[in-house]
Amino acid sequence: MLHIKGRILVGPDPLDGVRDELWVVGGRITFDRPAGARDVTTVEGWVLPGLVDAHCHVGLDAHGAVDEATTEKQALTERHAGALLLRDAGSPSDTRWIDEREDLPRVIRAGRHIARTRRYIRNYAHEIEPEDLVAYVAREARRGDGWVKLVGDWIDRETGDLGACWPRGAVEAAIAEAHRLGARVTAHCFAEETLAPLVEAGIDCIEHATGLTEETIPLFAERGVAIVPTLVNIATFPRLADGGEGKFPRWADHMRRLHARRYATVGAAYDAGIPVYVGTDAGGSLPHGLVGQEVEELVKAGIPAAAALSAATWGARAWLGRPGLEEGAPADLVVYDADPRADVRVLGAPSRVVLRGRVVA
């Protein structure tokens, strides 16, 4: 049994969203003191629900699928950073075995990426043509945990720049099929021109969304389409541009421009009312455990600290259909020595991590 004391941040409201204590009994949260409590461990501090990395890749590295030992190390790194709920935004690995481990974070899977032939990173995705898109979306909707991941745009070798991967009709049919099967659809998108057709086709979320403009931001807000900006990943754009400039100078210039306005883009999206959530894109070329850094990036983009925290905690969990610090909920929480609302950099140094009611770090 655990007794958690201090400031329990059950929600973003500075008054109603704070409790003084909670108990963990049988791995679940209660705000009522148990009768006859014995063998109690007390933990004190500032408490948040387990953090959410809403865009990472478990079981994947820069070259494709990895073995179980490497996958385990990735999941443990996320756990150590306090990320206890992961939305895996595409992986070729079968990671269902993680669900049997009480000591590893919960994973919400989007199946395997679905990309156009030779239009994505090698060994990552199903690479198909538009006539097969509906069938593959149905397959991954059944394989995942309520999400499907498309590659919406990638470099087009004929134009030498970013270009949309799918015709509008194919995307409309594929998204309709996913929704029929009870799955939401998200897409990797860097470019400007990719966004409006996907939103108009009914997509639920866009990853990265660097191409948002004054024209498309109102469309996202009107339709309630969420974005996961992955700013710690967008920080790598200049390096990527340098590496590809010799072969694709137009693409390199485009990537630098998207990078230069990244904070303004995310800030404008938030100001317009677009739902923004925290994701790192860890597991490809980036290491795991960067969720705290991504929250810092959102604050740099002008998002208030409380809203940036919600994008990684209360709001993100509600969006993904998972509970936070609620009566009877699984006790997945993170404890800090200082108030993360006053300085989000506190997220980088959790003092305790509690997963399924057990102190694991």
Side-chain angles (χ1 to χ4, degrees):
M1 187 180 298
L2 294 178
H3 183 203
I4 312 292
K5 299 171 58 179
R7 307 301 284 167
I8 315 300
L9 305 178
V10 299
D13 190 292
L15 298 177
D16 296 336
V18 182
R19 305 286 290 266
D20 293 328
E21 62 183 349
L22 64 77
W23 299 79
V24 178
V25 181
R28 294 189 174 269
I29 292 169
T30 181
F31 292 100
D32 299 322
R33 181 185 179 92
R38 297 180 179 179
D39 298 323
V40 178
T41 299
T42 300
V43 175
E44 298 189 47
W46 298 82
V47 182
L48 285 171
L51 305 183
V52 177
D53 188 339
H55 182 134
C56 64
H57 304 278
V58 181
L60 180 72
D61 68 7
H63 306 289
V66 298
D67 59 22
E68 288 192 4
T70 304
T71 302
E72 178 188 49
K73 187 178 296 184
Q74 292 174 342
L76 289 172
T77 300
E78 293 286 0
R79 188 191 78 178
H80 186 72
L84 305 183
L85 179 61
L86 313 176
R87 186 180 64 143
D88 187 309
S91 174
S93 296
D94 181 359
T95 61
R96 289 290 173 189
W97 59 270
I98 291 177
D99 296 346
E100 307 301 319
R101 291 277 297 268
E102 293 294 312
D103 60 330
L104 296 180
R106 291 169 169 81
V107 181
I108 297 173
R109 298 166 184 83
R112 188 173 185 175
H113 304 78
I114 303 173
R116 191 75 177 265
T117 307
R118 298 188 66 210
R119 295 285 299 279
Y120 199 49
I121 302 168
R122 185 178 299 175
N123 300 326
Y124 275 31
H126 296 298
E127 296 191 18
I128 63 169
E129 289 304 295
E131 59 268 24
D132 296 320
L133 184 58
V134 171
Y136 273 82
V137 162
R139 168 179 171 174
E140 296 309 301
R142 296 185 177 99
R143 179 172 177 253
D145 298 313
W147 284 92
V148 175
K149 170 71 174 296
L150 306 180
V151 177
D153 58 38
W154 197 249
I155 191 166
D156 185 330
R157 290 171 174 82
E158 293 185 3
T159 66
D161 198 359
L162 295 169
C165 293
W166 309 104
R168 182 188 291 261
V171 168
E172 290 174 347
I175 292 174
E177 178 67 3
H179 289 170
R180 187 185 71 82
L181 294 170
R184 289 186 276 183
V185 182
T186 192
H188 161 108
C189 294
F190 289 159
E192 294 86 351
E193 66 178 24
T194 316
L195 298 177
L198 287 171
V199 174
E200 290 166 354
I203 204 161
D204 303 283
C205 179
I206 294 291
E207 312 299 317
H208 317 301
T210 47
L212 279 169
T213 64
E214 292 180 354
E215 289 73 33
T216 50
I217 283 175
L219 180 63
F220 272 67
E222 176 188 342
R223 302 290 181 95
V225 177
I227 66 170
V228 182
T230 68
L231 286 168
V232 292
N233 177 47
I234 306 311
T236 68
F237 276 18
R239 175 175 56 81
L240 296 175
D242 290 345
E245 186 168 27
K247 191 172 183 180
F248 300 113
R250 286 183 59 194
W251 169 84
D253 177 67
H254 196 173
M255 296 289 279
R256 292 190 183 101
R257 285 186 280 112
L258 293 172
H259 172 266
R261 63 181 179 88
R262 67 197 186 283
Y263 291 140
T265 299
V266 173
Y270 172 80
D271 290 342
I274 295 174
V276 179
Y277 298 107
V278 165
T280 65
D281 208 2
S285 60
L286 291 179
H288 285 265
L290 302 179
V291 64
Q293 294 181 35
E294 182 65 18
V295 175
E296 290 183 43
E297 286 290 287
L298 292 185
V299 172
K300 289 179 183 178
I303 295 180
L309 283 176
S310 183
T313 55
W314 318 289
R317 284 178 166 272
W319 179 57
L320 294 172
R322 298 297 189 271
L325 301 177
E326 304 167 15
E327 182 72 31
D332 295 343
L333 55 91
V334 192
V335 185
Y336 302 94
D337 290 332
D339 187 353
R341 300 171 303 178
D343 185 350
V344 297
R345 291 177 295 181
V346 168
L347 298 181
S351 62
R352 295 287 189 278
V353 176
V354 177
L355 178 62
R356 295 169 172 84
R358 302 174 68 180
V359 178
V360 294

